[in-house]
Amino acid sequence: MSNKVSILDLQKKKRKGQRISMLTAYDFPGAKLVDEAGVDIILVGDSLAMTVLGHPNTVSVTVDEMLHHCRAVSRGAERAFLVGDMPFMSYQIDRTEAVRNAGRFLKEAGMDAVKLEGGTEVLETVRAIVRAGIPVMGHLGLTPQTATMLGGYKVQAKTAESAHRLREDALALQDAGVFSIVLEAVPASVAQAVSRELTVPTIGIGAGPGCDGQVLVFHDVLGLFDKFIPKFVKQYAHLRQPMLDAFKAYIADVEAGTFPAEEHSFTIKEDELQLFLYGEREI
Ligand code: KIV
């Protein structure tokens, strides 16, 4: 029997009060690692626009670029439940296009589900995608695709009114059929109250310990960026410096002629070498 994580496993975890772990991954070796570590959900986040493709935000990444990374992740992961992020403008224009794009994540890229951002404004789209048989994860609070509309990357639901709106959005998304909701940059007490009210699991990022699960970005967990570390990030390793040191040591070895050494080189039998070097001549 397969031990692949399913939506039922995620629901069971919520019911039993067991926390769900989610990490982003964007390529084959990264997916292999987080899968082997035992994470429940791998998200191929559109954060890859920034972490992998070097864009200043997530808006410019395309469906085809997302699918390229999703395919690599699905080849690397065996156990985790796989969620592909629908990029900006792949689900906002019209519902038919949204369903078609969502379907591509499953048909062409091996994902188990899609994630999309927004509340009441995406309800009918969520319903249409779920009706087509595609599991959907919601995303509320700070929604990076529309961060400009929110006035930047800011904590959301900080007033009673906006917290109430977040709660209403979460309940409406649940009613529309999402199997889970990401809560990003939301006060811990608000996220906890919403998580308790919902029957579907919430996955928090910058939303405190009261969510049903947590998600962090691959590069943040490994400490690969040191320019800006958001408050909600915990770096479990500091790999940037050792990686930099390894590349510098390699360059120094190449320049000094100490790499490759004998143990990294292939040999040829002496008589073959003589023939190669001196051809037809008597040896
Ligand atoms: O794109 C992403 O990585 C995300 C997570 C941070 C939730 O949406």
Side-chain angles (χ1 to χ4, degrees):
M1 211 167 67
S2 156
N3 66 347
K4 166 119 181 143
V5 177
S6 71
I7 289 176
L8 291 182
D9 294 322
L10 303 173
Q11 287 167 347
K12 206 187 299 167
K13 276 200 149 183
K14 163 138 185 155
R15 275 200 310 276
K16 287 184 166 175
Q18 295 168 344
R19 294 273 157 61
I20 296 165
S21 59
M22 174 158 123
L23 277 167
T24 68
Y26 312 109
D27 60 17
F28 176 79
K32 251 184 124 48
L33 275 172
V34 298
D35 193 64
E36 191 180 322
V39 78
D40 293 313
I41 306 174
I42 297 179
L43 169 68
V44 186
D46 63 353
S47 51
L48 70 82
M50 298 158 86
T51 56
V52 176
L53 302 179
H55 293 295
N57 53 49
T58 60
V59 298
S60 52
V61 73
T62 66
V63 171
D64 285 330
E65 286 171 330
M66 288 301 303
L67 295 179
H68 175 75
H69 288 273
C70 287
R71 279 192 283 270
V73 166
S74 72
R75 287 190 287 266
E78 286 176 15
R79 179 186 165 277
F81 188 79
L82 304 180
V83 180
D85 229 351
M86 295 192 70
F88 185 53
M89 282 301 137
S90 68
Y91 56 93
Q92 289 90 343
I93 297 166
D94 86 55
R95 232 167 280 154
T96 310
E97 190 181 351
V99 175
R100 189 176 298 119
N101 281 330
R104 292 186 69 195
F105 280 82
L106 273 63
K107 279 174 75 88
E108 297 177 32
M111 294 292 102
D112 299 309
V114 295
K115 174 167 85 60
L116 51 87
E117 298 181 3
T120 43
E121 69 281 13
V122 296
L123 282 187
E124 288 316 310
T125 303
V126 168
R127 272 189 227 285
I129 297 174
V130 172
R131 231 183 353 254
I134 301 165
V136 177
M137 176 179 265
H139 186 152
L140 293 172
L142 172 55
T143 45
Q145 293 176 7
T146 47
T148 313
M149 298 269 282
L150 303 173
Y153 294 87
K154 293 198 159 69
V155 178
Q156 302 296 305
K158 283 177 77 172
T159 63
E161 193 194 335
S162 56
H164 181 70
R165 228 178 305 127
L166 180 106
R167 174 178 169 271
E168 293 299 305
D169 277 346
L171 288 168
L173 279 174
Q174 175 173 273
D175 184 59
V178 298
F179 70 92
S180 173
I181 302 175
V182 166
L183 298 178
E184 179 164 355
V186 171
S189 44
V190 174
Q192 181 173 41
V194 171
S195 300
R196 284 193 180 153
E197 201 169 346
L198 293 176
T199 54
V200 296
T202 58
I203 310 290
I205 176 162
C211 295
D212 302 302
Q214 298 292 325
V215 56
L216 279 179
V217 165
F218 186 92
H219 296 66
D220 288 339
V221 171
L222 297 182
L224 291 174
F225 293 131
D226 61 0
K227 285 251 153 53
F228 170 68
I229 303 161
K231 178 179 163 73
F232 58 78
V233 166
K234 179 170 175 185
Q235 294 184 324
Y236 286 84
H238 304 277
L239 298 190
R240 186 180 181 279
Q241 196 56 49
M243 285 171 83
L244 196 60
D245 291 345
F247 294 134
K248 284 183 175 173
Y250 162 72
I251 293 164
D253 271 2
V254 169
E255 287 176 356
T258 50
F259 176 82
E262 211 176 313
E263 68 264 31
H264 309 116
S265 306
F266 302 104
T267 55
I268 182 173
K269 286 193 186 121
E270 188 54 32
D271 54 343
E272 296 294 339
L273 178 64
Q274 293 301 322
L275 254 178
F276 165 65
L277 290 176
Y278 304 113
E280 299 302 303
R281 278 183 290 150
E282 282 292 314
I283 51 172

